[in-house]
Amino acid sequence: MSFSAVTKNELARVVGGKDCCRLAELAALIKMDGSVQISGQKKLSLNIVTENAAVARKIFKLLKNLFGLSTEILVRRRVRLRKNNVYLVRIPSQPGIEEIFKALGIGEAGAAIAEEGINKELIARDCCRKAYLRGAFLGGGSVNNPEGTYHLEIITDNFKHAQELAELMQSFNLPARVSPRKNWYVVYLKGSEQIVECLNHMGAHAAQLDFENARIYKDMRNQVNRLVNCETANLNKTVNAAVRQLENIKYLADTIGLEKLPKPLREAAELRLQHPDASLKELGELWDPPIGKSGVNHRMRKLERLAERVRSRKVDHGFKES
Ligand SMILES: [Zn+2]
């Protein structure tokens, strides 16, 4: 199961403790996935469609619990494309159905679910805003597996609703942004910490923990990789330097002879020839008395400069010296 599905299944089981929060969550679910059907003589019924069984059960329970009207769930198996189930939670036309529309702030005749923004009364309190966010996520949200790119989104075809969802998230210091995608509007979060916060506000605590663990593991792996790369680079640098030093020393031995060098340089050259793989620090410890890394480095540079001088002289004087 995808991380998104696991998160939704967890959130589908989170039930707000207060009626105000349940109403806010139900309003969000209806806003995202609901439609009002009008049949002859202004008979209204309410349909809410979802592909997630746990979400369908939640909508059913919330409706029953808050309004106690006759409610039904229908399951349809899709035959084309993704062969998944589609659940329809339906409140058939009946006396008292207007109460639902009134409570949810859906306009007269309910026709305008898609166009209106969020009823401000429903999201006046922090607890209700969190519940609304949970409902909106259950209705049209998804979140990437934290092992990949960090991304959480809620999509809606209603631009005003998208903007208000972003504002609602911003009221929790989540820097949500809105961007268009074909005929849809995507409200999204990118930062790992913000996604963790958002999961926390919605009440997906298990998903939040999984997310944090995956993030910590990923960060650590990246850090280790960086460290290994850095050490490899340093090692390569050391090896390249040693190879160059050996070339210079062998060149000096072949041209002017190591015995002609001043004692400190001769010592350095001989030690390097005897210990081609040693680091400068290790070489320094072989001296009697030992000398520091910078002392060794200083001598190696002198040898290098000397070798360069000899080389350039040979070029200047052609074959005269050989
Ligand atoms: Zn509340």
Side-chain angles (χ1 to χ4, degrees):
M1 211 190 297
S2 68
F3 185 71
S4 223
V6 171
T7 305
K8 280 190 173 178
N9 281 343
E10 184 188 359
L11 287 176
R13 285 168 182 80
V14 177
V15 183
K18 292 178 276 183
D19 273 358
C20 61
C21 302
R22 293 185 197 156
L23 195 62
E25 183 168 3
L26 181 62
L29 282 159
I30 291 176
K31 188 103 193 144
M32 298 297 294
D33 297 329
S35 62
V36 177
Q37 208 179 338
I38 307 171
S39 46
Q41 294 188 338
K42 285 194 173 180
K43 279 189 158 182
L44 303 179
S45 52
L46 177 63
N47 297 331
I48 307 148
V49 175
T50 173
E51 294 179 7
N52 183 311
V55 174
R57 271 197 300 276
K58 179 171 216 175
I59 296 169
F60 181 84
K61 272 192 205 162
L62 286 171
L63 279 168
K64 272 297 214 188
N65 195 302
L66 288 164
F67 299 101
L69 295 176
S70 148
T71 309
E72 55 198 31
I73 294 192
L74 307 166
V75 186
R76 204 174 62 211
R77 191 167 174 76
R78 253 189 209 154
V79 280
R80 287 208 231 161
L81 297 168
R82 295 178 292 160
K83 291 186 175 156
N84 52 349
N85 286 339
V86 178
Y87 303 88
L88 170 66
V89 185
R90 178 175 162 79
I91 299 196
S93 179
Q94 60 194 288
I97 195 168
E98 304 80 20
E99 288 307 307
I100 297 184
F101 298 131
K102 217 156 90 193
L104 297 175
I106 298 169
E108 196 70 0
I113 289 187
E115 288 123 56
E116 287 171 10
I118 307 172
N119 181 351
K120 294 285 177 292
E121 276 172 43
L122 287 172
I123 52 163
R125 302 184 216 182
D126 260 17
C127 59
C128 300
R129 282 213 298 281
K130 289 177 186 177
Y132 194 94
L133 187 56
R134 180 167 62 237
F137 183 84
L138 283 174
S142 64
V143 55
N144 283 8
N145 188 321
E147 281 161 27
T149 326
Y150 299 130
H151 184 87
L152 180 147
E153 69 176 34
I154 298 173
I155 64 169
T156 165
D157 56 3
N158 176 344
F159 178 63
K160 189 156 188 249
H161 193 212
Q163 270 185 319
E164 289 183 348
L165 273 174
E167 281 164 22
L168 189 152
M169 288 163 92
Q170 284 154 10
S171 77
F172 291 117
N173 277 327
L174 301 169
R177 302 177 62 177
V178 179
S179 89
R181 182 189 296 161
K182 290 183 185 165
N183 296 325
W184 298 86
Y185 298 94
V186 185
V187 186
Y188 66 93
L189 287 174
K190 280 286 181 200
S192 63
E193 264 158 51
Q194 295 132 23
I195 293 172
V196 165
E197 273 296 293
C198 186
L199 292 172
N200 180 33
H201 288 316
M202 294 191 295
H205 301 301
Q208 181 195 346
L209 274 183
D210 285 347
F211 194 97
E212 275 178 311
N213 285 340
R215 183 185 63 167
I216 289 166
Y217 178 75
K218 194 159 100 177
D219 286 354
M220 218 150 77
R221 199 182 48 201
N222 287 344
Q223 226 169 38
V224 169
N225 283 345
R226 260 200 305 277
L227 221 62
V228 168
N229 287 343
C230 187
E231 271 178 12
T232 310
N234 279 339
L235 200 63
N236 285 341
K237 236 157 63 187
T238 310
V239 170
N240 289 341
V243 167
R244 206 177 58 237
Q245 288 157 10
L246 282 166
E247 276 171 6
N248 287 330
I249 291 164
K250 282 175 186 160
Y251 180 74
L252 288 173
D254 291 345
T255 50
I256 58 175
L258 294 186
E259 67 284 354
K260 298 267 174 59
L261 298 176
K263 190 171 171 244
L265 293 188
R266 195 179 68 231
E267 276 176 346
E270 280 164 356
L271 279 172
R272 174 47 94 201
L273 284 176
Q274 285 158 24
H275 305 278
D277 298 329
S279 69
L280 293 181
K281 189 166 172 282
E282 288 163 343
L283 274 186
E285 283 158 7
L286 297 168
W287 252 270
D288 184 25
I291 61 170
K293 183 180 156 182
S294 65
V296 181
N297 190 36
H298 181 70
R299 282 163 217 220
M300 290 299 165
R301 292 206 161 193
K302 272 195 165 172
L303 282 169
E304 184 171 0
R305 278 201 294 275
L306 186 61
E308 273 165 18
R309 274 215 300 279
V310 175
R311 276 194 196 100
S312 61
R313 212 163 56 209
K314 278 203 81 113
V315 173
D316 286 344
H317 303 295
F319 294 101
K320 266 183 225 165
E321 280 192 4
S322 53

